[in-house]
Amino acid sequence: MPMADIKYIKGIGPAKSAMFNRLDIFTTSDLLHYYARTYQDRRPNKNLNDFKDAQSVCFKAQVLRTQVIPARTIGIFKAFVQDEKNNVFEATWFKRRARGYDVFAQIKKDFSIGSYVWLVAKREDKNSFLSNKIIVDEYYKPTDPELHLHADAIVPIYALTQGLTNKFFRQTMARALGTYLEEEKEILPPELLKKRQLLTIKQALKGVHFPSSIAELENARKRMVYEEFLLMSMAWAIKQKQEKIDEKQHRYELKKHLLTPFKENLPFTFTKAQTRVINEIFKDMLSPKPMTRLLQGDVGSGKTIVALSALLLATENNFQSAFMAPTEILATQHFITLKNQLKNLKVNVEILTSKTTKKNKDKILKDLQEGKIDILVGTHALIEDKVKFKNLRFIVIDEQHRFGVKQRAKLRSKARHIDMLSMTATPIPRTFALALYGDLSVSTIDEMPPNRKPVETLQLNQNAALELLKEEVKKDHQGYIVFPLIDESDKLELKAAKEEFEKLQLALPDIKFAMIHGQMGGQEKQKVMEDFLNKKSQVLVATPVIEVGIDVKNATIMIIQNAERFGLASLHQLRGRVGRGEAKSICVLVAGHTSTLAKERLDILCQTNDGFKIGQKDLALRGPGEILGTRQSGEIELKSADLIKDKDVLEEVVQDKEELFKQDPMLLKEEHQPFKKRLQELYQKYWSFIDLG
């Protein structure tokens, strides 16, 4: 693909070039393949009284009069305008005032009485269809030579970074298309273009950025979606072929000197589903080919104990194992669980995270390299270059969707022919698995332990929720109160959660509260968790760091504050922290203002405890990006495709990929060379661990 530097496009210098680089746009080809996140239909054939929510509309209007309202920090400019159907609107702009110059000087000039302008605006009160007050996002003069890029058209809206505007981005895109489009080479095999009646790359790029109609946009988008899916599917097909050729240099034996006492010491027996899945995993591990297996099961179905059985098979064969989890809380909980389950067995388990002290880390790294550690539990810290194993043969990756391809591969690259078990509580449809992972082996725990009782889920106000909490504490039970936190580094949100914690202590002085959040040190977190486990505290106030990993059988109530701010899968994960003992458990959803979508999520949670049903609904409501890890570090990002909306195209791709792979598995034919070259570029950028040859 052409690789002209982005800075050579007219209007882009070094400063603007750096802004584009932040969007992973370095070349003109990168820019042309940077697709809009959404589109606005700014054609003026809409009835302006038919505003929907905060949706922008575009129309041409005549200026009747203007007004500047002085303010200390934010200046306000108003213009009363009349559209072609004689509707009068009060249009408002807000601009931060600056000392020394008039921030509205240009707008005043453009909005002279009687002049015409194109406005892109939304209702000031989106809940009132009768309001004639609008807030202006953009405006254009009819004489603007590039008006067709911004108004009176179907307009692309791009995801941007600070310093760039959509107006400038569209202008830059139009220049790039005019100058560099002809250099774009077709990569799709000719037979597939014809078979699926797809647009050529030049037609598709023009149509996906500046479509002349909805039909052209849909056809252009379908072609780009097909290309993304085919690249992804073919990459995994090649990788799977390589893995099938490889043979492990090591072998396992069922010695049972660890597995038998471990099983005998368990306070429960395996469910039929757990036994079946353990046998599937053991069969893979005992085979000469490296294992790549996904273990999926609902929250509380017993995935960790299944993984522990596989870890012990590796340990009793004198092999080392790694157990990687996405958060320190989850890694710590796994570490505590493993230590408790293995306390009577000669198995050395250690934990390594970013919060591990230097002294402890140095000792762990030394012991690991000398083979003194059997199982190392940790977070992303496990993939650091300094972490070297003596005899690593088996890895477990929990909540696999939270890691990117590159991260998973880096852990796997610590040794040759490693067996890998990934775990998830999110069900992955077969079509998605084929496209995203090739012929991935999937084991499913479709049965809950017999002592697991369904958790009753209620939507209540704050006072009613706290009354239920007091009742549970009186029964000598424990509970959780979870506050939303978008990011553990968000100091304002964390401060608000801490303030609520202090209010709870004052309001309920008879209850022993404790708090846990992601900014705590590792040892501090571990102490809080162990104190809660040992009933030294009664209620654990937390941020979503406890979404996965906490296992306290005496906890019977989960209160989720501002539940509307959580995704459906996260709510189900949080609910899964209770209902682990014999007593009846309750999950209380305390919601603020809820949108229709948020209400639908909360209603679903109250109707079912079936994680697979919830996972499927979550896919439909929220999309698969976060769920399947396609937006994680090192993944081939789905720039245009949507695994839910485009499932029909995905099914076509899976069929075509299989035919293409049978005909030309290493893409050696001349007509397949452009496609192969594009795959090689992706490997260099993301997937260097796959050898295309």
Side-chain angles (χ1 to χ4, degrees):
M1 301 178 84
M3 298 295 286
D5 194 297
I6 189 77
K7 67 185 177 186
Y8 294 121
I9 297 177
K10 183 182 176 182
I12 298 183
K16 281 282 195 293
S17 177
M19 295 174 191
F20 280 90
N21 293 168
R22 289 203 295 268
L23 298 172
D24 207 22
I25 298 172
F26 297 91
T27 69
T28 53
S29 189
D30 291 337
L31 177 64
L32 293 179
H33 289 269
Y34 188 87
Y35 309 128
R37 64 175 174 82
T38 189
Y39 296 84
Q40 288 180 354
D41 189 348
R42 294 183 178 179
R43 294 173 296 181
N45 56 355
K46 289 184 174 181
N47 183 347
L48 294 182
N49 289 314
D50 189 27
F51 277 84
K52 297 286 179 68
D53 297 325
Q55 181 185 0
S56 291
V57 294
C58 181
F59 62 100
K60 186 180 180 182
Q62 186 177 29
V63 180
L64 302 178
R65 64 184 178 89
T66 62
Q67 178 185 7
V68 177
I69 300 174
R72 186 168 294 178
T73 55
I74 303 294
I76 300 172
F77 179 84
K78 288 184 179 294
F80 294 85
V81 299
Q82 182 172 293
D83 70 5
E84 294 173 341
K85 295 183 179 179
N86 297 322
N87 296 310
V88 175
F89 292 90
E90 180 185 320
T92 303
W93 287 257
F94 298 94
K95 270 188 176 287
R96 185 170 293 280
R97 295 180 65 82
R99 187 175 296 177
Y101 69 95
D102 183 358
V103 295
F104 291 120
Q106 186 61 48
I107 298 178
K108 289 175 185 174
K109 184 178 178 182
D110 293 338
F111 279 72
S112 58
I113 306 302
S115 63
Y116 285 89
V117 287
W118 280 91
L119 298 178
V120 180
K122 54 181 175 281
R123 291 269 190 211
E124 186 174 303
D125 180 2
K126 67 180 182 181
N127 296 315
S128 173
F129 291 143
L130 300 175
S131 172
N132 71 333
K133 295 182 179 181
I134 58 176
I135 297 174
V136 177
D137 293 325
E138 303 170 31
Y139 77 87
Y140 303 95
K141 294 182 289 183
T143 55
D144 190 330
E146 294 179 316
L147 176 68
H148 64 286
L149 302 179
H150 318 294
D152 196 14
I154 299 168
V155 176
I157 306 297
Y158 299 94
L160 302 176
T161 187
Q162 188 172 1
L164 293 177
T165 65
N166 258 294
K167 179 179 180 180
F168 178 78
F169 203 94
R170 285 191 290 268
Q171 289 168 340
T172 304
M173 186 67 75
R175 289 168 194 151
L177 282 167
T179 307
Y180 297 99
L181 181 61
E182 287 306 310
E183 296 180 24
E184 287 292 314
K185 305 299 182 189
E186 182 61 69
I187 68 163
L188 288 183
E191 67 268 26
L192 295 183
L193 278 173
K194 185 177 180 181
K195 177 182 178 181
R196 298 301 181 187
Q197 297 182 313
L198 299 171
L199 298 182
T200 65
I201 186 61
K202 293 181 179 65
Q203 292 171 326
L205 284 173
K206 181 180 174 296
V208 85
H209 290 297
F210 298 108
S212 59
S213 65
I214 295 296
E216 184 185 6
L217 174 59
E218 288 175 349
N219 288 333
R221 190 181 165 279
K222 181 183 177 182
R223 184 256 145 74
M224 306 317 295
V225 167
Y226 183 94
E227 179 180 311
E228 285 185 318
F229 281 154
L230 187 64
L231 284 164
M232 187 168 59
S233 298
M234 198 66 186
W236 283 110
I238 292 168
K239 185 177 188 315
Q240 287 297 120
K241 185 174 188 293
Q242 291 168 1
E243 289 178 348
K244 286 176 182 177
I245 293 171
D246 284 346
E247 282 207 5
K248 294 185 284 200
Q249 301 301 307
H250 61 281
R251 294 290 186 271
Y252 297 90
E253 291 179 35
L254 279 170
K255 299 180 180 180
K256 297 190 178 180
H257 66 267
L258 292 175
L259 282 164
T260 299
F262 163 68
K263 189 175 179 181
E264 289 173 347
N265 290 336
L266 288 174
F268 54 83
T269 56
F270 290 130
T271 63
K272 290 179 181 177
Q274 285 175 315
T275 301
R276 169 175 44 78
V277 166
I278 289 171
N279 288 335
E280 290 170 354
I281 294 167
F282 279 14
K283 183 180 178 183
D284 273 4
M285 292 174 73
L286 292 165
S287 80
K289 306 293 183 184
M291 176 178 76
T292 304
R293 184 168 284 274
L294 176 70
L295 171 58
Q296 57 182 19
D298 201 355
V299 177
S301 62
K303 296 187 296 295
T304 304
I305 291 297
V306 168
L308 183 47
S309 301
L311 290 163
L312 286 177
L313 175 58
T315 303
E316 66 179 20
N317 280 273
N318 297 316
F319 299 142
Q320 289 176 302
S321 301
F323 194 143
M324 188 164 73
T327 66
E328 189 180 6
I329 284 285
L330 182 51
T332 302
Q333 179 61 45
H334 281 317
F335 175 66
I336 293 171
T337 299
L338 265 60
K339 292 286 279 187
N340 288 339
Q341 295 290 352
L342 303 175
K343 60 187 174 185
N344 297 319
L345 300 175
K346 290 184 179 180
V347 181
N348 188 10
V349 184
E350 286 293 348
I351 183 169
L352 181 67
T353 72
S354 60
K355 300 286 178 69
T356 303
T357 63
K358 186 180 185 304
K359 183 180 177 182
N360 286 345
K361 183 176 181 178
D362 289 344
K363 185 178 186 307
I364 288 169
L365 294 180
K366 183 175 181 291
D367 288 349
L368 191 69
Q369 203 159 356
E370 293 176 358
K372 294 178 182 177
I373 295 173
D374 299 307
I375 302 170
L376 182 62
V377 181
T379 55
H380 300 75
L382 297 187
I383 66 176
E384 292 176 5
D385 292 337
K386 291 181 180 178
V387 179
K388 299 184 189 305
F389 294 79
K390 182 181 180 181
N391 196 21
L392 179 65
R393 292 291 178 265
F394 181 63
I395 59 175
V396 177
I397 299 178
D398 196 14
E399 295 295 308
Q400 62 83 33
H401 58 279
R402 298 195 185 190
F403 296 100
V405 170
K406 208 167 187 176
Q407 293 167 326
R408 297 196 292 262
K410 192 162 184 184
L411 180 59
R412 203 168 188 177
S413 69
K414 297 284 181 182
R416 282 182 58 78
H417 304 129
I418 287 181
D419 292 301
M420 181 172 77
L421 178 68
S422 298
M423 302 198 299
T424 182
T426 302
I428 298 178
R430 181 63 182 157
T431 307
F432 296 174
L434 280 169
L436 291 166
Y437 303 104
D439 295 323
L440 182 75
S441 301
V442 179
S443 291
T444 304
I445 302 178
D446 51 9
E447 175 186 9
M448 297 296 282
N451 63 334
R452 287 293 298 237
K453 296 179 180 177
V455 177
E456 183 183 6
T457 306
L458 308 169
Q459 294 185 59
L460 300 175
N461 62 34
Q462 176 79 330
N463 291 335
L466 293 180
E467 285 302 315
L468 277 180
L469 179 70
K470 288 192 283 186
E471 289 176 21
E472 291 301 308
V473 171
K474 282 179 185 176
K475 297 174 188 174
D476 199 29
H477 293 155
Q478 293 166 278
Y480 304 97
I481 300 178
V482 178
F483 289 91
L485 198 62
I486 294 170
D487 188 320
E488 282 296 337
S489 64
D490 191 324
K491 292 179 181 178
L492 288 176
E493 290 230 17
L494 191 55
K495 183 172 181 283
K498 288 177 180 177
E499 287 173 356
E500 291 300 320
F501 170 64
E502 290 168 4
K503 289 178 185 176
L504 284 166
Q505 288 179 307
L506 291 171
L508 302 170
D510 296 332
I511 294 177
K512 295 175 186 174
F513 288 94
M515 187 173 190
I516 192 167
H517 55 80
Q519 289 296 302
M520 288 178 167
Q523 291 183 339
E524 188 181 2
K525 281 182 195 166
Q526 192 166 331
K527 186 176 187 310
V528 171
M529 288 165 62
E530 287 177 345
D531 284 351
F532 187 64
L533 189 62
N534 296 323
K535 298 175 71 170
K536 291 181 181 177
S537 57
Q538 296 166 301
V539 177
L540 189 61
V541 178
T543 60
V545 293
I546 68 153
E547 181 181 314
V548 286
I550 300 287
D551 185 8
V552 179
K553 291 178 174 53
N554 191 49
T556 58
I557 183 167
M558 164 67 70
I559 298 174
I560 304 173
Q561 300 284 354
N562 296 110
E564 76 282 0
R565 293 177 60 185
F566 292 86
L568 191 49
S570 292
L571 289 170
H572 183 55
Q573 287 274 17
L574 286 167
R575 176 171 63 180
R577 298 310 103 209
V578 295
R580 293 174 170 254
E582 295 181 1
K584 178 187 174 183
S585 293
I586 306 165
C587 175
V588 183
L589 308 175
V590 180
H593 174 72
T594 55
S595 64
T596 304
L597 185 62
K599 187 176 186 309
E600 189 175 350
R601 282 202 303 269
L602 302 186
D603 289 345
I604 290 163
L605 206 72
C606 293
Q607 291 161 12
T608 182
N609 277 274
D610 187 328
F612 282 1
K613 287 181 181 177
I614 288 169
Q616 293 289 354
K617 193 67 180 177
D618 199 31
L619 277 170
L621 289 176
R622 187 159 59 102
E626 179 191 340
I627 295 172
L628 297 179
T630 53
R631 303 204 189 282
Q632 294 295 329
S633 169
E635 294 279 4
I636 174 172
E637 184 182 348
L638 294 176
K639 295 179 180 179
S640 187
D642 182 309
L643 285 164
I644 300 299
K645 184 166 62 177
D646 302 314
K647 63 182 180 180
D648 292 342
V649 180
L650 180 57
E651 286 170 2
E652 289 180 357
V653 164
V654 171
Q655 293 172 17
D656 295 346
K657 175 262 297 183
E658 289 173 358
E659 289 178 21
L660 181 59
F661 195 70
K662 284 176 186 176
Q663 294 169 13
D664 189 11
M666 296 310 291
L667 302 172
L668 299 176
K669 292 182 180 179
E670 185 178 350
E671 62 266 32
H672 298 155
Q673 289 304 299
F675 187 76
K676 180 177 181 178
K677 185 180 178 184
R678 178 59 178 146
L679 275 175
Q680 287 171 326
E681 289 169 356
L682 286 173
Y683 293 151
Q684 289 170 8
K685 192 170 185 179
Y686 299 111
W687 297 339
S688 57
F689 58 91
I690 303 177
D691 179 19
L692 187 60

